[in-house]
Amino acid sequence: MSKQVRKELGVVLAGSASLAIAMGVGRFAFTPILPMMLHDGVLDLGFAGHLATANYIGYLVGALAAMLVPKKWDQTIIIKIALSLTVVLTGAMAFPFPQSWIALRFLAGAASAVGFVFTSGWALAQLSGTAGSIGSAIYTGPGAGIALSGIVAIVMSAGGLTAQWGWATFALMSAVMSALIWGVFRRQTKAVDAFYLGTVRPASGRVARSEVPLFAVAYGLAGFGYIVTATYLPVIAKNAIPGSPLLTIFWPMFGVSGVVGSLVAARVRKSADARLYLVASYLVQAAGIALSVLWQDAIGLALSSILVGVPFTAISFFAMNEVRRIRTSHHARYMGLLTAVFAVGQIMGPPVVGVILSHQPSVDAGFALALGIASITLVVGAAIFVAMIILFPAERTHRAV
C-alpha cells in the first residue's frame, strides 16, 4: 500500500469517525435513549419533543456560525473543538439535572453542525482528485454511529441499565474514537480544488442567483421529511407492535442502511447530474415513510427503516458535492447555508408532531398524519430538483473520468 493510499484511507476513516461522533452521537444518540428515559420516568413525550427541538435549533445555530468562520481559520482545530464538545455535552446528560438538559441538547446540536460542515469540507478537499467517489465513504459515519448507538442501547436495555448509563457510555465511546483519529486532523496542505462526482463541470461564475436559494429550499424539505422518523422511530414501533421482541432493531437497521447508502453512492454513474440522484433519493425516502403508515407490522417497519435509511447520508453526499459545483470557492460558507436550511426543516418536525398529536384522537393517528405530511414534503423537494434540472442545466465535459 502506497503512502498516498494510506493517507487517503486515514482521511476517510477519520472523516467517517468524526461524522459518527457529530451526527450519530451529538445529533441522534437521543433517539435510541428516548425509550430508556421514558421507561425511567425522567421525561414524557412532550418534554422529549422540547429536547429534540432544542438540539435541532442548536444545529441551526451551529450551521449559521459555520458560515461566519473566516476562510483562513484552521478547519482541523474547529473539528477538534467540535469533537471535544460533543464528548463533554453527551456525558453531562448523564447527570440528573433535567433543568440543564435543554441547554445541553442545544449546545450538542451546535457542535454537531459545526463538526459536520467542517469535517465534510476538510475531508472532501483532502480527497479531491482521487479515483472514483471515495469521498462518499466519509458519509458512512452518521449511519455507523446511529447503528452502533442503537445496538449499544439494545444491550443496555436488555441488561436493565438506566438512561444515565446510556449517556455516559456514548460519551466514553466518543472520547475513545476522538482519541484514535485526533492526529489525522492536521492543517490542510492540499489545495482546496473542487471534488466532483464526475464529468459535470463547475459552474464557473454563470450560476443564476435563484439557483442556490432553490437548492437550499429543496434540501431543507429533506430535513423536515426524514426527521419525524429519525426522532420517533422507536416510539412509533412501540405503538405499532407493542410487546414485540423486534422493537429495538429498527433504529440500528436505519443506521446500517445509511452506511449501505453511502457505499452505493460511491458507485453511481459519475457522468450523471447529481440532482438526478437527489430526486431518486427523496422519492425512495418518501416511499419508505409512507410504507410505515400503510404497513404497520414488523415487516413493514423494517422495510420502512431500510428505505428511509439508505438515502439518509447519500443525500448529504450528493448535496455537498452539488454545492461545491455551484460555488467553487469558500465551500464551508455554502455548506453551512445548506446545513442551516436543513436544520430549519428539522426544527419544524417535533413541534408539528406535537400539534398533530394534541388534535388527534390517538397517538397512532397522530403519527400516521405526521408521517404522511413528511412523505409529501419529500415529494415536493424532488419536484423542485426536477424543475432545477430543467431551468439550470449543468454544463458537461467530454473527457473520461
Side-chain angles (χ1 to χ4, degrees):
M1 184 183 296
S2 68
K3 182 178 179 181
Q4 179 63 25
V5 171
R6 287 197 301 272
K7 178 183 177 182
E8 291 169 1
L9 181 59
V11 170
V12 168
L13 292 176
S16 179
S18 179
L19 292 183
I21 296 166
M23 305 295 287
V25 176
R27 287 276 285 100
F28 292 115
F30 180 63
T31 300
I33 288 182
L34 175 56
M36 299 171 67
M37 298 181 79
L38 292 170
H39 179 268
D40 295 344
V42 297
L43 50 61
D44 55 21
L45 278 177
F47 189 37
H50 294 325
L51 291 179
T53 300
N55 187 261
Y56 305 152
I57 293 175
Y59 194 77
L60 170 61
V61 171
L64 293 173
M67 294 173 62
L68 301 177
V69 171
K71 187 177 180 181
K72 64 182 180 180
W73 283 20
D74 186 351
Q75 295 185 26
T76 59
I77 292 178
I78 298 172
I79 294 169
K80 290 177 178 179
I81 292 172
L83 291 173
S84 301
L85 285 174
T86 300
V87 172
V88 172
L89 295 167
T90 301
M93 284 293 295
F95 293 100
F97 303 120
Q99 64 271 21
S100 69
W101 290 349
I102 288 180
L104 291 174
R105 295 309 296 156
F106 170 84
L107 294 172
S112 175
V114 171
F116 175 80
V117 169
F118 285 97
T119 297
S120 295
W122 178 84
L124 291 178
Q126 290 292 300
L127 296 168
S128 62
T130 57
S133 299
I134 190 175
S136 68
I138 72 170
Y139 291 101
T140 59
I146 287 170
L148 179 60
S149 65
I151 292 170
V152 171
I154 290 173
V155 174
M156 288 188 294
S157 295
L161 297 178
T162 65
Q164 285 181 290
W165 281 101
W167 289 112
T169 300
F170 289 163
L172 178 61
M173 288 167 42
S174 300
V176 172
M177 291 171 62
S178 297
L180 291 174
I181 63 175
W182 197 263
V184 180
F185 293 109
R186 294 185 290 270
R187 177 176 284 275
Q188 187 168 295
T189 55
K190 190 170 186 177
V192 186
D193 50 351
F195 175 83
Y196 310 111
L197 281 175
T199 58
V200 179
R201 183 183 300 167
S204 62
R206 293 195 297 273
V207 178
R209 289 185 176 181
S210 58
E211 186 168 358
V212 171
L214 265 179
F215 187 79
V217 169
Y219 191 57
L221 292 177
F224 178 81
Y226 91 100
I227 202 61
V228 177
T229 299
T231 302
Y232 296 105
L233 179 58
V235 178
I236 292 169
K238 185 177 180 180
N239 289 331
I241 48 174
S244 171
L246 302 176
L247 281 174
T248 55
I249 71 167
F250 302 115
W251 183 245
M253 188 176 293
F254 173 85
V256 171
S257 299
V259 174
V260 172
S262 297
L263 297 176
V264 170
R267 303 185 65 82
V268 298
R269 187 164 62 88
K270 301 170 185 62
S271 59
D273 191 326
R275 294 169 296 185
L276 290 171
Y277 298 128
L278 286 165
V279 169
S281 297
Y282 277 43
L283 294 179
V284 168
Q285 233 176 28
I289 293 170
L291 190 62
S292 67
V293 177
L294 301 173
W295 194 352
Q296 293 187 344
D297 61 15
I299 296 176
L301 287 171
L303 291 175
S304 174
S305 300
I306 292 170
L307 292 176
V308 177
V310 166
F312 168 56
T313 48
I315 285 173
S316 294
F317 172 66
F318 295 137
M320 293 305 131
N321 271 285
E322 180 65 6
V323 79
R324 287 170 64 84
R325 181 190 70 83
I326 297 174
R327 296 300 187 199
T328 56
S329 64
H330 209 338
H331 308 123
R333 175 172 296 172
Y334 293 101
M335 287 179 176
L337 171 63
L338 287 190
T339 305
V341 179
F342 190 84
V344 171
Q346 293 179 137
I347 290 168
M348 294 172 62
V352 167
V353 171
V355 171
I356 290 173
L357 289 175
S358 67
H359 288 83
Q360 291 298 308
S362 68
V363 172
D364 289 343
F367 276 127
L369 179 57
L371 291 167
I373 293 172
S375 181
I376 293 170
T377 299
L378 284 162
V379 173
V380 173
I384 292 175
F385 281 126
V386 171
M388 289 181 65
I389 292 170
I390 296 171
L391 293 172
F392 313 115
E395 303 174 44
R396 298 181 184 278
T397 65
H398 299 287
R399 62 180 177 79
V401 178

